[in-house]
Amino acid sequence: MSVLSGSRLSARHLVGLIGDLDPDRPVYDALAERVRLLIADGRVPAGTRLPSERELAAQTGRSRTTIVAAYQALRDAGYLVSQQGSGSRAVLPDSGQLRGATEARAIDFARAVPPPVEGLRDIFAAVGLRMVEALDGPGFDLLGNVALRRAIAQRYTDRGLPTTPDQVMVTMGGQHAISLIAHTLLVRADIALIEAPTYPHAYDALQRAGARLVTTPVTSEGWDVEHLSDTLASARPALAYLVPDFHNPTGASMLPEDRAEVAKAASTLGTTLIIDETTADLNIDRTWDDGPFARHSRRRSPSDGSGIITVGSLSKSIWGGLRLGWIRADTAMIRRLAHARPAGDLGTPQMEQLLGEQIMAAMPGLLQRRRELLTEHRTVLTRLLEEQLPQWTIPHPEGGLSLWAQLDKPASSALTSLCEAHGLSLVAGPKFSIDGAFERYIRLPFTSPIADLEDGVALLAGAWEQLTFRDTTRTGVSRLPAVV
Ligand SMILES: Cc1ncc(COP(=O)(O)O)c(C=O)c1O
């Protein structure tokens, strides 16, 4: 059990994360259970120093004896170590201590990572010999090679958004693009608007760049555009980060008329929109295509600063292992980002970019095959869930990679813990928000092989049946590096 020296959590912050306690169990036990789930889920990272028993007693209004008993329960379960003089720190128990862990094969429902698109092997084989071309220059660059930028720009143009190559920067994936934009544009304490729920590493990046976050809700049915417009007007955020196509995790798409309204509001208020189109090519059966969101930009010239920055990526549509993405913006913004980029990295590798060029040329056929896989997998997962967990509400997203399932009781974190102990990794609903909401939801990707979908849902259904609010002690420990 290793103890890292981490940050300190105030009693007020911890109480905010803990939320409501289960009224049917002793207070110390309910408290210990909530803290244990926060640690297992990574929302209180291992190494974090927890408030003293006295501080927590004062903040919660509970007796010191209750808090002492809760901390003791956490120590007994291996989630807390206390040292004289340096307080109590959150830890993850060694796997040997896990109760209920099985030797069964691991099933991954935690990452929405589709397999390489069919046809990618042929492209790899064809590019193989051309790889030596990468040896002709330094092999990496800040903006991306011209041929690839031209191909990306052409695709935007073909989809109704005239774009020149100097409006494009090639990045090492969508996450890299988001992080670069956040660190370049935000100054400490700027306000940034995000959706709730949203893709967690986007809010991570914005927070790390110093932003204070405000949220606007999204459900499987879509956006509350009035709320979004009102929040833009009242909070006046410097940035707003939106995923308008096959949103992660809900799968929702923003309607064309709503896009126009949001673009207009943001432009009027001077909010820069970061439009993440990493998932935009994952259509299954949406009957309309409005083209890139930035078509709603109020300004048209490549150099005049549209206020809309678009992020794209090949990770979901083609393969995550490529680590290829891009930013589309006005030329001045691309120059500004290129100027800031070397502080974080020195450029995208040329070898991946050679593959990217070939992929862009073959895009329509590859996307058709991606769509076939997603169609089949969504159908299978939906059927399995409807058969085995009829008490849940299963949405029917028109695209994307996952189902944002609604549970019939708020126990997403407990379910995640129990499943983890049986070899099924999941990400609990609260991970997709900044405030611990969404205990009533779980994201279920349909990207795994069909056999895993079948075994995973059987496990999920068994766990849900077993799960009562008292039976959450069989824990697993999430060791996920990233929630994608
Ligand atoms: C909405 C969204 N944006 C960006 C990313 C990160 O993309 P990449 O793998 O290209 O870095 C993800 C990955 O899950 C995502 O869901």
Side-chain angles (χ1 to χ4, degrees), residues 139 245 247 454 461:
D245 293 278
H247 171 263
E454 286 166 349

Side-chain angles (χ1 to χ4, degrees), residues 228-447:
L228 175 46
S229 301
D230 287 352
T231 312
L232 286 173
S234 59
R236 293 193 162 251
L239 289 186
Y241 167 83
L242 304 174
V243 186
D245 293 278
F246 315 117
H247 171 263
N248 181 6
T250 64
S253 290
M254 192 185 284
L255 296 172
E257 59 270 28
D258 292 344
R259 294 171 190 232
E261 193 177 326
V262 172
K264 184 172 168 204
S267 158
T268 310
L269 295 161
T271 297
T272 301
L273 290 178
I274 312 299
I275 300 297
D276 185 348
E277 294 184 342
T278 296
T279 47
D281 282 324
L282 303 174
N283 186 19
I284 299 178
D285 47 19
R286 193 179 69 184
T287 49
W288 52 270
D289 178 14
D290 191 49
F293 184 103
R295 280 194 335 109
H296 296 284
S297 158
R298 319 273 290 160
R299 289 168 253 169
R300 292 286 170 180
S301 133
S303 58
D304 69 359
S306 72
I308 299 183
I309 303 178
T310 306
V311 171
S313 170
L314 296 181
S315 291
K316 306 294 184 186
S317 50
I318 306 298
W319 187 45
L322 282 167
R323 311 311 309 143
L324 265 186
W326 58 85
I327 297 169
R328 180 208 180 270
D330 64 79
T331 51
M333 178 61 71
I334 294 292
R335 275 199 301 276
R336 186 172 164 197
L337 292 166
H339 205 254
R341 182 169 173 177
D345 76 284
L346 298 177
T348 311
Q350 182 66 13
M351 290 188 292
E352 277 82 343
Q353 295 191 65
L354 288 171
L355 283 162
E357 267 176 71
Q358 301 304 311
I359 288 166
M360 293 305 291
M363 211 54 167
L366 295 173
L367 289 183
Q368 180 51 32
R369 272 169 256 164
R370 175 57 90 220
R371 187 174 184 169
E372 286 157 15
L373 178 124
L374 294 178
T375 306
E376 183 194 1
H377 283 226
R378 185 194 59 177
T379 305
V380 169
L381 182 60
T382 304
R383 178 178 49 75
L384 291 166
L385 290 167
E386 285 175 351
E387 280 167 9
Q388 297 180 48
L389 285 151
Q391 64 276 47
W392 290 7
T393 307
I394 309 300
H396 293 274
E398 295 172 320
L401 302 171
S402 53
L403 303 177
W404 183 236
Q406 193 181 348
L407 315 177
D408 53 311
K409 61 185 177 192
S412 188
S413 300
L415 176 67
T416 302
S417 279
L418 188 56
C419 287
E420 185 93 26
H422 291 87
L424 173 65
S425 318
L426 289 167
V427 181
K431 180 74 188 166
F432 295 88
S433 76
I434 49 170
D435 53 9
F438 302 114
E439 268 299 351
R440 205 172 258 284
Y441 289 83
I442 188 108
R443 185 189 71 164
L444 300 172
F446 42 84
T447 44

Side-chain angles (χ1 to χ4, degrees), residues 18-103:
I18 287 171
D20 294 338
L21 297 182
D22 177 2
D24 293 338
R25 56 201 293 179
V27 175
Y28 86 89
D29 187 31
L31 193 63
E33 175 63 4
R34 291 294 306 160
V35 176
R36 189 187 60 70
L37 289 172
L38 288 168
I39 298 169
D41 233 22
R43 277 178 292 144
V44 171
T48 304
R49 196 166 142 200
L50 298 195
S52 71
E53 290 151 345
R54 185 181 46 74
E55 287 164 332
L56 194 55
Q59 186 69 36
T60 53
R62 308 282 182 184
S63 75
R64 180 120 186 255
T65 323
T66 301
I67 308 297
V68 168
Y71 274 23
Q72 187 55 48
L74 285 164
R75 272 191 291 274
D76 292 346
Y79 284 88
L80 200 66
V81 287
S82 305
Q83 275 161 359
Q84 198 80 44
S86 63
S88 298
R89 287 189 190 281
V91 287
L92 292 169
D94 291 336
S95 40
Q97 280 183 260
L98 293 181
R99 284 168 281 170
T102 67
E103 293 302 315

